[in-house]
Amino acid sequence: MSSRARHVPCPAAELSSLKKFDEIKKANQAAAKKLVGDQLSSSSEDDDEDAEVKQGKILDKTFTIYTSQTDGDASELERTRQYMNDAFQSGAMTCLICIASVKRNQAVWSCCGCFCIFHLVCIQKWAKDSLFLVSSPLTDDDFGKKDHPWPCPKCRFEYKRSETPSRYYCYCGKVENPTVDPWLVPHSCGQICEREFKPSCGHKCLLLCHPGPCPPCPKMVTTSCHCKKAKPVPRRCSAKAWSCRLPCGRTLLCGQHACENPCHAGDCQPCPRVSKQRCICGRQTAERLCASPQWQCDQVCGKCLPCGNHTCEQVCHAGPCGDCPRSGKRSCPCGKTKFTLPCTEDVPTCGDSCDKILECGIHKCSQRCHRGPCEICRQEVEKQCRCGKHTKRMPCHKPYLCETKCTKIRDCQKHQCRRKCCSGNCPPCDQVCGRTLGCRNHKCPSGCHRGSCNPCPETVDVKCNCGKTVIKVPCGRERTIKPPKCKQLCSRPPTCHHPTQEKHYCHFGRCPPCRQPCQKTLTCGHLCPVSCHDQALVKQTGSHQSAGPWEQPSEPAFIQTALPCPPCEVPIPVKCLGQHEVSPLPCHSANPYSCKRFCGRLLDCQNHTCMKECHHVTKLNTNADGKKAGPECLQCEEECTKPRPAGCPHRCVLPCHPGDCPSCLQMVKIKCHCKLSVLYIECLKLTHADLKEKELLISCRNQCPKELPCGHRCKEICHSGSCPLNCSQKVKLRCLCKRLKKEVQCSKIQEGQVSLECDALCKEMKRKAYEIKEAEAKAALEEEKRRQQAELEAFENRLKGRRKNKRKKDEVEVEQSSWQKYKNLIMLPVFGVAVVMVAWLMVYND
């Protein structure tokens, strides 16, 4: 392979290096942000003169609601008051993990068992390290399968993995990321706590959000004593359980005696009396406590079992003894063969190999079926030592340990184990730590350990810029602690054009920008009103590429330079281009402008206005009206939109114009009244005609094709509206029997004026026809009755003949069913009735 091929970069290696570069860069950025955040003020560094007065007001405000329930009694608040005092005092609240003071603006977490406060980042790291140590593969084979808990660093109260804090909450847990308020307890939200009291009583804490445990419940409740005999009395909810000191009197578990102890909480004690009681088998009697009536003696039962050969070997028991344990099928010692033998005989060996698994758990017993335990495994196998690096052939029952020293790293993650044939459970490291402490000045004297070392116990002086104010801080915190506040005035000379600078206290870095008015004269003659800008900080443009992950991301570079005065902002009244309004504009831009309204001047058509945005208009005549359009305005290109005469559907043929529109000369296509013919009429005639003229214009002069209600055609000429109802058509009118007829006018029939009644001859003919029908029906009915009688007689004759023939038949003949016997007897009457009904219906219809 050539040298060029060896130096070809691997894509995976490039991605790995870029990933490491990004991780280190993010870590450096986080360290820089933490360094800047630590310089903010904290609860341990407040040095106001009225700190004690302010603290007293905050405590009184927190305890107001509680003391109102106890009539001013605050004796139960001492423990909570101590926690709150520690929250205010400088250095009193200390994180036990990093041994640093807890500041007002830092995210914290409070243990619910001991109420100790830790930094949120510290407790997260503590929980992560604890879970790693507990679930490490070196100490637990079920790594990743069990939900191991992690303990509180102080009280060792255990929390689940899911309860690892990930967000910053106030003490009561209502508000996430509570804001820093100097008039509240640090890390408090200022709302009512409302956490349930412990033990739970149904009420909630009345204090404002506070550190430490909640005080006892101050509510007054009416409660009875433990035995419920005394009358209820009002007591504090935290001490509502009380005793009336009277005998309890409740029946004990023995069911014979009553409790003689004074009124007490919980269950009664066991009955203390003694009585004579028999054992379970009933052979012995002894004096025992009344609370434990059942007891077992030490005698063997000895009763004869059902087999008749053996006796029961159980010690004092209740109930039947059961079957003989040697009865039924029994196996040989190796368990391969089963025998059915009397209970008096022992099970013999089967003669087969034992094949039981030996103590080694790998090989089987090679002896024949035998009684008693198997021997040790004597087979030679290839065994592996405890550390797993060497193998040797030796008896299976002997352990094998090699001479190789363990090279694994101990729990300090620095030194090797160096034990011979180590199984992996290496002991703790016994060397000195020697790591550089957090102060970066000294080394850790403790034994070699994992995690962060304890902070340095030394102190360092931190001075202000002028050196007149000094405070002592722990070693290493001089780089993160905020410098002390110096009350001396800054003595640096001014750097701007003003003779003197504003008074301010001693400080580090540049002096604050001068906030005095500039007061330089501008080109327009006004004075510059903005703050002084002789030493303004301007961000330097240009990107800087970092050389490597070790280089901290540089902050934006600022250059101190003098800026020119800004444009003059003095308001000047200016009219818009279209002379619509007057607005005050800044002096530097006081020019005619467009107000964004429509022009609004009347166009030449005298109907519309100019819709252009506010613009300049040239006046051709000095005496002209200011509301008329000029040459810069739009020209009207709209159609004429004036209202047309009533009934005219056409538009005006001219464009938008002044004055009245011309007359409409177009032809209108319209249908006549009867909707059969299409007529063309001038629009002018149609719109100017009255009702009668319109009636004549729209008529086609033909007969109306519509039908009247009577069914005849209308006789009128084409007309509007409904047709007249007086039909003059001649129609024939008949009587009810259709014998008489007469011609009359159709309209009279519709009005009911004419009717034709039947005469005497018609009535006589109707009566004769009815009599004939009745006679025919009667004759048919009698004929049907005679026919049915004849059929019935014939049926009876046939039935008698069949009975005679039946007697002569053989007795072995199969008997007929009931339906075969009586079907003719049933069907004939039914059929006769049906025929009669059909004949009656035919006569009735005729």
Side-chain angles (χ1 to χ4, degrees):
M1 186 180 293
S2 63
S3 61
R4 291 184 181 180
R6 290 173 189 158
H7 295 289
V8 173
C10 178
E14 289 183 359
L15 292 175
S16 177
S17 61
L18 290 175
K19 187 176 180 181
K20 290 182 179 179
F21 178 85
D22 293 338
E23 290 178 355
I24 298 174
K25 187 176 180 181
K26 290 179 181 178
N28 292 335
Q29 291 177 354
K33 290 181 180 179
K34 183 179 180 182
L35 182 63
V36 174
D38 289 343
Q39 295 178 357
L40 300 175
S41 61
S42 65
S43 62
S44 62
E45 298 160 358
D46 287 336
D47 55 357
D48 298 332
E49 296 179 357
D50 56 344
E52 294 182 1
V53 178
K54 180 179 177 181
Q55 177 180 343
K57 291 182 178 179
I58 296 175
L59 292 178
D60 292 341
K61 180 181 177 182
T62 305
F63 297 151
T64 298
I65 301 178
Y66 186 91
T67 53
S68 64
Q69 296 283 336
T70 61
D71 297 331
D73 182 14
S75 59
E76 301 287 351
L77 297 173
E78 292 303 324
R79 188 181 177 194
T80 306
R81 187 189 298 274
Q82 183 61 37
Y83 276 92
M84 298 183 69
N85 288 332
D86 292 344
F88 284 108
Q89 292 178 6
S90 176
M93 292 177 62
T94 304
C95 177
L96 298 181
I97 300 175
C98 65
I99 319 299
S101 59
V102 178
K103 300 179 181 179
R104 183 187 292 269
N105 63 332
Q106 291 177 330
V108 298
W109 175 83
S110 176
C111 175
C112 63
C114 61
F115 305 100
C116 188
I117 295 176
F118 307 90
H119 292 125
L120 182 62
V121 178
C122 295
I123 196 64
Q124 288 174 344
K125 187 175 184 300
W126 173 273
K128 183 178 178 181
D129 292 344
S130 300
L131 291 173
F132 176 77
L133 290 175
V134 173
S135 60
S136 174
L138 301 178
T139 58
D140 192 354
D141 296 335
D142 296 329
F143 175 68
K145 298 181 180 180
K146 295 182 179 180
D147 188 9
H148 299 284
W150 57 272
C152 169
K154 183 179 180 182
C155 66
R156 315 308 294 176
F157 183 82
E158 292 187 347
Y159 294 90
K160 296 180 181 178
R161 183 192 295 267
S162 59
E163 295 176 343
T164 303
S166 59
R167 297 181 181 179
Y168 169 39
Y169 288 94
C170 63
Y171 296 114
C172 63
K174 293 180 182 177
V175 180
E176 182 179 355
N177 296 324
T179 57
V180 178
D181 191 339
W183 288 99
L184 290 176
V185 179
H187 316 292
S188 171
C189 63
Q191 303 180 25
I192 298 178
C193 177
E194 291 187 347
R195 286 184 290 183
E196 292 188 357
F197 288 110
K198 293 182 180 180
S200 179
C201 63
H203 303 124
K204 295 182 180 180
C205 181
L206 302 176
L207 300 182
L208 299 184
C209 183
H210 62 90
C214 297
C217 181
K219 296 282 187 180
M220 296 296 294
V221 295
T222 302
T223 179
S224 300
C225 63
H226 300 299
C227 64
K228 310 297 181 183
K229 293 182 179 179
K231 292 183 179 180
V233 295
R235 293 177 64 88
R236 287 278 171 81
C237 184
S238 57
K240 59 184 178 181
W242 62 285
S243 173
C244 65
R245 312 309 299 174
L246 295 175
C248 176
R250 285 184 287 185
T251 303
L252 298 177
L253 295 177
C254 65
Q256 300 177 3
H257 308 102
C259 179
E260 298 177 356
N261 295 329
C263 176
H264 60 86
D267 296 334
C268 298
Q269 295 180 358
C271 183
R273 298 191 180 186
V274 178
S275 60
K276 288 186 177 182
Q277 299 173 5
R278 287 183 174 275
C279 64
I280 297 177
C281 64
R283 293 182 180 182
Q284 295 184 6
T285 303
E287 290 187 353
R288 296 181 56 83
L289 291 175
C290 188
S292 55
Q294 289 191 354
W295 63 284
Q296 190 177 26
C297 66
D298 55 356
Q299 293 186 5
V300 178
C301 177
K303 293 181 181 178
C304 186
L305 295 177
C307 65
N309 299 320
H310 301 92
T311 57
C312 179
E313 297 178 357
Q314 299 182 41
V315 179
C316 182
H317 66 86
C321 297
D323 295 333
C324 179
R326 296 168 62 90
S327 61
K329 289 186 178 181
R330 287 179 287 169
S331 301
C332 65
C334 68
K336 293 182 179 180
T337 307
K338 291 186 177 181
F339 297 91
T340 304
L341 299 172
C343 64
T344 56
E345 296 182 12
D346 294 332
V347 178
T349 57
C350 63
D352 198 355
S353 58
C354 179
D355 286 343
K356 290 183 181 179
I357 302 296
L358 299 177
E359 292 181 357
C360 64
I362 301 174
H363 305 102
K364 296 181 180 180
C365 179
S366 59
Q367 295 182 352
R368 292 186 179 277
C369 179
H370 61 88
R371 294 183 177 86
C374 299
E375 294 183 352
I376 58 175
C377 183
R378 300 183 182 276
Q379 294 191 28
E380 286 194 359
V381 294
E382 194 80 16
K383 295 200 80 173
Q384 194 174 30
C385 66
R386 186 169 57 183
C387 64
K389 293 184 178 180
H390 300 277
T391 57
K392 183 178 180 181
R393 192 166 187 84
M394 58 188 305
C396 183
H397 68 277
K398 291 184 179 181
Y400 173 44
L401 298 177
C402 69
E403 297 295 325
T404 305
K405 293 183 179 181
C406 179
T407 59
K408 290 187 178 180
I409 303 299
R410 295 191 178 184
D411 58 351
C412 64
Q413 299 297 320
K414 290 183 179 181
H415 305 102
Q416 291 182 347
C417 175
R418 308 302 296 171
R419 286 199 309 167
K420 290 184 178 180
C421 197
C422 180
S423 63
N425 295 326
C426 303
C429 184
D430 54 357
Q431 300 187 32
V432 179
C433 176
R435 286 186 291 179
T436 303
L437 297 176
C439 63
R440 306 297 181 188
N441 301 325
H442 306 95
K443 293 186 177 181
C444 178
S446 304
C448 189
H449 60 86
R450 295 176 62 186
S452 302
C453 300
N454 294 333
C456 181
E458 302 293 332
T459 58
V460 180
D461 292 340
V462 178
K463 300 179 181 180
C464 66
N465 188 35
C466 65
K468 295 180 181 180
T469 306
V470 182
I471 61 172
K472 290 185 177 294
V473 297
C475 180
R477 296 192 64 185
E478 68 273 7
R479 292 185 292 270
T480 59
I481 199 71
K482 186 176 180 181
K485 294 181 180 179
C486 183
K487 299 299 182 181
Q488 302 295 326
L489 294 177
C490 181
S491 58
R492 297 178 186 178
T495 57
C496 60
H497 67 278
H498 294 101
T500 59
Q501 65 174 351
E502 293 178 315
K503 292 182 179 181
H504 56 278
Y505 293 114
C506 171
H507 61 88
F508 289 92
R510 295 192 185 100
C511 290
C514 180
R515 294 185 176 85
Q516 302 179 66
C518 179
Q519 296 299 314
K520 290 182 180 180
T521 304
L522 303 175
T523 56
C524 61
H526 299 110
L527 296 178
C528 181
V530 298
S531 299
C532 180
H533 45 82
D534 288 348
Q535 298 292 330
L537 293 177
V538 179
K539 185 177 181 180
Q540 187 178 12
T541 58
S543 59
H544 173 70
Q545 184 69 25
S546 59
W550 58 86
E551 183 178 354
Q552 292 286 348
S554 59
E555 296 292 334
F558 290 90
I559 303 175
Q560 196 172 29
T561 182
L563 297 178
C565 293
C568 183
E569 298 291 338
V570 177
I572 304 296
V574 179
K575 281 189 177 183
C576 68
L577 295 172
Q579 306 296 318
H580 298 110
E581 64 179 21
V582 177
S583 297
L585 297 181
C587 180
H588 70 278
S589 61
N591 298 318
Y593 67 97
S594 174
C595 65
K596 305 300 181 182
R597 300 180 185 175
F598 293 121
C599 176
R601 286 178 169 81
L602 189 64
L603 300 179
D604 294 337
C605 66
Q606 304 297 319
N607 298 323
H608 301 94
T609 57
C610 179
M611 300 301 291
K612 285 180 69 175
E613 190 181 291
C614 177
H615 61 89
H616 176 71
V617 178
T618 304
K619 291 186 179 181
L620 301 177
N621 187 1
T622 56
N623 297 328
D625 188 4
K627 294 185 179 180
K628 290 187 178 180
E632 293 83 4
C633 294
L634 293 173
Q635 298 295 325
C636 183
E637 297 178 355
E638 300 288 334
E639 297 180 353
C640 179
T641 58
K642 293 183 179 180
R644 305 295 295 163
C648 178
H650 309 104
R651 294 182 178 180
C652 179
V653 295
L654 300 178
C656 186
H657 59 88
D660 297 333
C661 297
S663 301
C664 183
L665 301 178
Q666 296 191 41
M667 301 297 288
V668 178
K669 181 180 178 181
I670 190 171
K671 287 189 176 182
C672 63
H673 297 302
C674 59
K675 308 299 180 182
L676 295 179
S677 302
V678 179
L679 306 178
Y680 292 89
I681 308 171
E682 288 185 6
C683 183
L684 180 63
K685 292 182 180 179
L686 192 63
T687 54
H688 287 77
D690 56 7
L691 294 177
K692 290 185 179 180
E693 292 177 351
K694 282 185 179 180
E695 182 76 19
L696 294 175
L697 286 173
I698 301 176
S699 176
C700 62
R701 304 293 191 277
N702 297 324
Q703 184 182 354
C704 178
K706 298 177 184 178
E707 289 187 358
L708 298 177
C710 60
H712 301 120
R713 184 177 176 181
C714 179
K715 301 295 184 180
E716 300 292 331
I717 302 300
C718 178
H719 62 87
S720 61
S722 57
C723 299
L725 299 178
N726 52 346
C727 181
S728 59
Q729 183 75 23
K730 296 289 186 178
V731 295
K732 292 181 179 180
L733 181 64
R734 292 178 177 272
C735 65
L736 294 177
C737 64
K738 310 298 183 181
R739 190 180 70 82
L740 301 179
K741 60 181 179 178
K742 179 182 179 182
E743 287 189 357
V744 294
Q745 194 173 354
C746 180
S747 59
K748 293 182 178 180
I749 296 175
Q750 296 296 326
E751 294 174 358
Q753 298 179 1
V754 180
S755 61
L756 186 60
E757 302 291 339
C758 293
D759 56 3
L761 182 58
C762 292
K763 294 179 180 180
E764 182 65 22
M765 292 176 66
K766 186 185 293 185
R767 185 182 60 78
K768 288 182 179 180
Y770 178 74
E771 289 178 355
I772 292 171
K773 285 183 180 181
E774 279 190 349
E776 290 177 354
K778 189 175 181 180
L781 184 60
E782 291 178 355
E783 181 64 26
E784 182 66 22
K785 286 182 179 181
R786 286 194 299 271
R787 187 176 61 79
Q788 289 179 0
Q789 184 66 28
E791 290 178 355
L792 184 60
E793 291 176 357
F795 175 75
E796 289 178 352
N797 293 334
R798 286 195 302 272
L799 188 61
K800 290 178 180 180
R802 287 179 183 176
R803 288 177 180 174
K804 293 178 180 180
N805 296 334
K806 187 176 181 181
R807 294 173 184 171
K808 298 177 181 180
K809 288 182 180 179
D810 191 12
E811 293 180 355
V812 185
E813 187 178 359
V814 179
E815 185 180 359
Q816 294 181 346
S817 64
S818 300
W819 169 250
Q820 292 176 346
K821 292 179 180 181
Y822 305 109
K823 63 180 180 179
N824 294 331
L825 186 63
I826 296 171
M827 291 300 296
L828 286 176
V830 172
F831 181 77
V833 172
V835 171
V836 172
M837 291 296 294
V838 171
W840 183 79
L841 289 173
M842 293 175 62
V843 173
Y844 179 76
N845 291 333
D846 294 339

